[in-house]
Amino acid sequence: VSSAVRVIGFGMGPQHITPEAAEALRSCDYVVAASKGAADPLLAVRRTICEAYGVELVAVADPERDRMDPTDYAGAVRDWHDARVEAYRAVVGARGGTAGFLVWGDPSLYDSTIRIVAQLGDYDVVPGISAPQLLAARHRMVLHDVGAPVHVTTGRRLPDDIAAGQTNLVVMLPSEATLGLLADLADWSIWWGANLGAPSEQLVAGRAGDVHDAIRTARTAAKAEAGWVMDLWLLRAPTR
Ligand SMILES: C[S@@+](CC[C@H](N)C(=O)[O-])C[C@H]1O[C@@H](n2cnc3c(N)ncnc32)[C@H](O)[C@@H]1O
């Protein structure tokens, strides 16, 4: 059966679907979505979008990710990707036609979809609004000083990146442990946001030493309201 694959970024929700993404969605025979169970809130957003554009959603159960081996993170991710490739290949191979893969934010940032569908054959990519873009817009700012760089990283890597001399960082996938680092960065500035684009959105900005408690409180509030929380930071060293 011949098939085509389209990777479509949908930003932080239905309000961010560009005309280009809408056109791509309408061209799909169905949309494949990973499901982490019936109550998966991110699956619910994809379902709303598919209904709005009249395209069938095919939920594929997400293979279990083995988080148990911290010594082989790369290996665990690889195995998980392989399992996802096989699950998607089975669906796309059986159905044929044009399959859409809806990606949260933009497919270029911390998302496996492109790496996975590249193993299925030919594909194209439609961009979406990413979380760092929405964070910058909400705080009405530029992500870097004039002519200066911004380093995009993860909470996991943050300590090493700061040790290596980075002074202006977008921090994605932060955890409770990442928040704990703020105690040692009291004079840095942080612009923080959670659940951006959702009704449960929270924003906090200020000197890290002054606002880290407010961030914890706001993070808890976002999670209580939505049942999930995704947050990110812009973190900047004090000017000397
Ligand atoms: C797996 S990455 C996906 C990023 C996505 N592809 C993008 O373009 O933004 C998930 C991380 O993105 C950030 N993120 C995604 N959506 C967010 C939102 N609505 N509010 C705040 N942060 C978000 C958080 O740092 C979260 O841990």
Side-chain angles (χ1 to χ4, degrees), residues 113-138:
T113 310
I114 288 179
R115 285 191 195 93
I116 289 170
V117 303
Q119 295 181 53
L120 299 179
D122 200 17
Y123 63 94
D124 75 339
V125 178
V126 176
I129 307 249
S130 65
Q133 286 175 290
L134 200 55
L135 181 74
R138 288 295 192 265

Side-chain angles (χ1 to χ4, degrees), residues 8-227:
I8 305 166
F10 66 91
M12 306 285 106
Q15 75 278 22
H16 289 157
I17 301 256
T18 63
E20 187 183 21
E23 191 271 330
L25 272 168
R26 291 196 195 95
S27 78
C28 292
D29 294 301
Y30 61 100
V31 160
V32 180
S35 166
K36 295 181 170 68
D40 183 345
L42 305 186
L43 180 61
V45 177
R46 289 175 173 81
R47 200 176 292 288
T48 305
I49 291 171
C50 287
E51 279 166 12
Y53 294 91
V55 52
E56 180 191 359
L57 182 137
V58 179
V60 177
D62 215 14
E64 280 294 318
R65 183 165 172 175
D66 181 10
R67 291 174 182 277
M68 291 301 107
D69 184 2
T71 58
D72 188 17
Y73 181 73
V77 169
R78 209 167 38 240
D79 290 348
W80 182 59
H81 280 189
D82 289 348
R84 278 184 136 184
V85 169
E86 287 323 312
Y88 293 152
R89 197 193 302 282
V91 174
V92 172
R95 289 195 163 229
T98 301
F101 285 76
L102 277 174
V103 173
W104 189 272
D106 184 77
S108 69
L109 274 177
Y110 298 101
D111 187 273
S112 315
T113 310
I114 288 179
R115 285 191 195 93
I116 289 170
V117 303
Q119 295 181 53
L120 299 179
D122 200 17
Y123 63 94
D124 75 339
V125 178
V126 176
I129 307 249
S130 65
Q133 286 175 290
L134 200 55
L135 181 74
R138 288 295 192 265
H139 288 291
R140 304 178 304 162
M141 64 189 300
V142 181
L143 288 175
H144 46 76
D145 285 329
V146 178
V150 58
H151 184 79
V152 181
T153 192
T154 62
R156 181 186 290 266
R157 295 196 59 100
L158 182 60
D160 286 348
D161 291 338
I162 289 176
Q166 295 293 343
T167 55
N168 186 49
L169 308 100
V170 168
V171 184
M172 303 185 69
L173 298 153
S175 64
E176 283 292 328
T178 324
L179 264 178
L181 301 173
L182 289 178
D184 290 332
L185 301 170
D187 286 327
W188 289 51
S189 297
I190 182 167
W191 293 266
W192 175 91
N195 295 12
L196 296 163
S200 51
E201 176 173 297
Q202 295 277 345
L203 299 171
V204 174
R207 184 181 162 273
D210 297 335
V211 298
H212 64 89
D213 279 341
I215 291 175
R216 276 179 211 282
T217 306
R219 198 174 189 278
T220 306
K223 181 151 194 185
E225 185 177 343

